């Protein structure tokens, strides 16, 4: 039997966070976001990254995290995980309050996010790498107390939009700090899609020299159309968990520079097809995924570029 690979669709979070507000200052309606989550919940993906409990001043598009949770309580079949980003204790408390208000552990994983580049860390979280790690320290035991898993992201694993090349050793150093905090999994983010087969292989060789590949997730943006080849390299090196985004939406607003908007994630359908073609199983229904991608496109259509 083919080996199973785990798929997380991050489109409701990474996909939508970079969508500009409409001309009247409004965000994508919460009901539309719920439609996307519902469509994804039917596809067979293992996890949906539903939203972010971050400051609405920093990410106005996702200021409705708690309301969205209320609209998707019936869209969590057995075995489907739902996660959300939390940058600090305030975000963690907001996540717990959202779960409490719906009377269930709807969000079962809290995802903290650090970076391997100091400039990106400051731009994204107004904190140094060391300060972000300290912010996460109390989040992990709180998550444990409430039976939640914890994902730790490391952004800029290949390159930073402001500093350029990031060394594998710098990435490994942050991975080790997250591991020491006690996160369940470490998600390696190629934030600007800079990776190619050679750099991805070098990065993964370095990280897996000290971190068990079974605890790693790969989160690729697809700027230059090289994400699929990076998936193949990662599969060969033992990675069995990947993030994708319906319709390839996505990008971190704080990875955009004056001349270029942050690139989208690898489309989940390309990710899944690449994994199937390499001889692995995912449990994802490609037709239902196509329908979810259609919803993702529909709810973002008409948004200013
Ligand atoms: P700060 O301004 O230093 O925070 O931002 P602060 O503690 O000084 O608080 C400032 C205000 O924000 C206060 O409000 C706080 O209450 C409020 P005021 O009193 O001024 O009205 N605040 C919050 N409100 C709601 N929820 C919260 C929260 N925290 C503070 N959790 C902070 C620091 C971390 C909050 C800010 O920088 C932030 O929210 N950053 C998030 C940026 C973000 O979401 N980026 C995108 C996600 S990361 C990503 O996309 C990469 C990834 O996809 C992987 C990859 O591709 O590499 C994961
Ligand atoms: Mg991302």
């Amino acid at each position: 039997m083919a080996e199973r690979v785990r798929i997380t669709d991050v489109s409701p979070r990474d996909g939508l966070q970079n969508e500009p507000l409409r001309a009247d200052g409004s965000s994508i309606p919460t009901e539309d976001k719920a439609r996307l989550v519902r469509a994804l919940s039917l596809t067979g993906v293992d996890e949906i990254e539903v939203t972010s409990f971050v400051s609405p001043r920093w990410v106005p598009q996702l200021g409705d995290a708690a309301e969205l949770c209320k609209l998707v309580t019936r869209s969590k079949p057995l075995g489907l995980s739902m996660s959300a980003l939390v940058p600090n204790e305030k975000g963690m408390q907001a996540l717990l309050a959202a779960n409490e208000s719906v009377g269930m552990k709807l969000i079962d994983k809290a995802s903290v996010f650090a970076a391997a580049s100091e400039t990106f860390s400051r731009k994204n979280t107004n904190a140094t790498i060391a300060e972000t790690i300290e912010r996460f320290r109390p989040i992990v035991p709180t998550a444990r107390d409430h039976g939640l898993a914890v994902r730790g992201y490391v952004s800029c694993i290949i390159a930073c939009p402001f500093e350029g090349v990031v060394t594998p050793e710098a990435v490994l150093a942050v991975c080790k700090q997250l591991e020491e905090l006690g996160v369940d999994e470490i998600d390696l983010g190629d934030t600007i899609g800079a990776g190619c087969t050679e750099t991805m292989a070098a990065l993964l060789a370095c990280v897996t020299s000290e971190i068990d590949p079974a605890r790693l997730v790969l989160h690729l943006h697809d700027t230059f159309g090289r994400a699929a080849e990076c998936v193949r390299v990662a599969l060969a090196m033992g990675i069995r968990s990947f993030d994708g985004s319906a319709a390839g939406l996505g990008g971190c607003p704080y990875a955009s520079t004056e001349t270029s908007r942050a690139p989208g994630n690898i489309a989940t359908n390309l990710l899944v097809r690449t994994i199937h073609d390499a001889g692995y199983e995912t449990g994802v229904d490609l037709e239902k995924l196509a329908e979810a991608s259609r919803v993702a496109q529909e709810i973002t259509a008409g948004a200013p570029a």
Side-chain angles (χ1 to χ4, degrees), residues 10 29 31 33 40 55 94 110 129 142 159 203 206 227-228 232-233 235 242 245 253 278-279:
V10 297
E31 176 49 39
K33 295 173 183 170
L40 288 169
S55 163
I129 298 169
T142 305
L203 181 265
C206 177
R232 285 189 282 272
V233 167
L235 285 168
F242 294 85
S245 173

Side-chain angles (χ1 to χ4, degrees), residues 67-80:
E67 295 90 281
L68 177 59
C69 287
K70 290 184 188 150
L71 297 183
V72 298
T73 51
R74 287 163 189 240
S75 308
K76 196 177 181 200
L78 211 60
L80 173 67

Side-chain angles (χ1 to χ4, degrees), residues 163-185:
E163 290 183 14
V165 172
V166 171
T167 65
E169 290 73 21
V171 178
L172 176 60
V174 182
C175 292
K176 283 163 74 175
Q177 292 178 68
L178 288 170
E179 193 164 58
E180 277 158 26
L181 286 182
V183 302
D184 297 281
E185 62 186 17

Side-chain angles (χ1 to χ4, degrees), residues 10 13-14 17 49 52-59 62 85-92 94 112-114 120-127 135 153-157 187-192 219-221 251-254 265:
V10 297
R13 193 281 301 173
D14 207 343
Q17 69 181 10
E49 194 168 69
S52 273
F53 291 92
V54 293
S55 163
R57 270 210 244 148
W58 283 67
V59 184
L62 302 186
L85 293 198
V86 295
N88 52 17
E89 272 193 285
K90 190 175 171 105
M92 186 65 199
V112 296
F113 47 104
F120 181 79
S121 182
R122 284 180 188 281
K123 288 199 185 263
N124 197 36
T125 57
N126 198 23
R135 280 180 188 169
Y153 276 104
V154 183
S155 284
C156 304
I157 57 165
D187 195 336
L188 302 170
D190 183 6
T191 317
I192 52 169
H219 174 107
L220 299 167
H221 288 256
C252 173
Y254 296 98
N265 293 73

Side-chain angles (χ1 to χ4, degrees), residues 9-269:
D9 190 291
V10 297
S11 60
R13 193 281 301 173
D14 207 343
L16 301 186
Q17 69 181 10
N18 203 25
E19 287 298 315
L21 296 177
R22 309 236 149 114
D24 64 358
S26 64
S27 61
I28 294 168
T30 313
E31 176 49 39
D32 280 355
K33 295 173 183 170
R35 261 200 312 135
L36 174 58
V37 173
R38 284 185 209 119
L40 288 169
S41 74
L42 304 174
T43 60
V45 295
D46 298 278
E47 179 173 335
I48 303 172
E49 194 168 69
V50 172
T51 188
S52 273
F53 291 92
V54 293
S55 163
R57 270 210 244 148
W58 283 67
V59 184
Q61 189 59 258
L62 302 186
D64 57 355
E67 295 90 281
L68 177 59
C69 287
K70 290 184 188 150
L71 297 183
V72 298
T73 51
R74 287 163 189 240
S75 308
K76 196 177 181 200
L78 211 60
L80 173 67
S81 173
M82 287 189 173
S83 53
L85 293 198
V86 295
N88 52 17
E89 272 193 285
K90 190 175 171 105
M92 186 65 199
Q93 291 308 321
L95 182 162
L96 294 174
N99 273 353
E100 201 172 319
S101 81
V102 296
M104 64 187 278
K105 197 164 70 183
L106 181 81
I107 305 296
D108 51 55
K109 184 185 286 180
S111 299
V112 296
F113 47 104
S117 144
E118 284 294 353
T119 309
F120 181 79
S121 182
R122 284 180 188 281
K123 288 199 185 263
N124 197 36
T125 57
N126 198 23
T128 63
I129 298 169
E131 285 163 349
T132 57
I133 298 290
E134 285 315 305
R135 280 180 188 169
F136 304 155
R137 201 170 290 287
I139 292 177
V140 181
T142 305
R144 291 276 169 275
D145 287 349
H146 290 82
L148 306 185
V150 182
R151 164 180 280 195
Y153 276 104
V154 183
S155 284
C156 304
I157 57 165
I158 304 286
C160 165
F162 311 103
E163 290 183 14
V165 172
V166 171
T167 65
E169 290 73 21
V171 178
L172 176 60
V174 182
C175 292
K176 283 163 74 175
Q177 292 178 68
L178 288 170
E179 193 164 58
E180 277 158 26
L181 286 182
V183 302
D184 297 281
E185 62 186 17
I186 296 171
D187 195 336
L188 302 170
D190 183 6
T191 317
I192 52 169
C196 63
T197 48
E198 290 80 11
T199 52
M200 189 56 67
L203 181 265
L204 292 176
C206 177
V207 172
T208 57
S209 70
E210 297 202 40
I211 310 276
D212 180 355
R215 303 190 63 205
L216 294 173
V217 185
L218 195 59
H219 174 107
L220 299 167
H221 288 256
D222 200 13
T223 322
F224 305 108
R226 297 192 301 237
E229 62 199 52
C230 289
V231 169
R232 285 189 282 272
V233 167
L235 285 168
M237 295 183 76
I239 308 300
R240 297 288 179 269
S241 184
F242 294 85
D243 296 346
S245 173
L249 298 180
C252 173
Y254 296 98
S256 294
T257 63
E258 277 175 16
T259 51
S260 69
R261 182 175 156 173
N265 293 73
I266 183 170
T268 309
N269 57 7

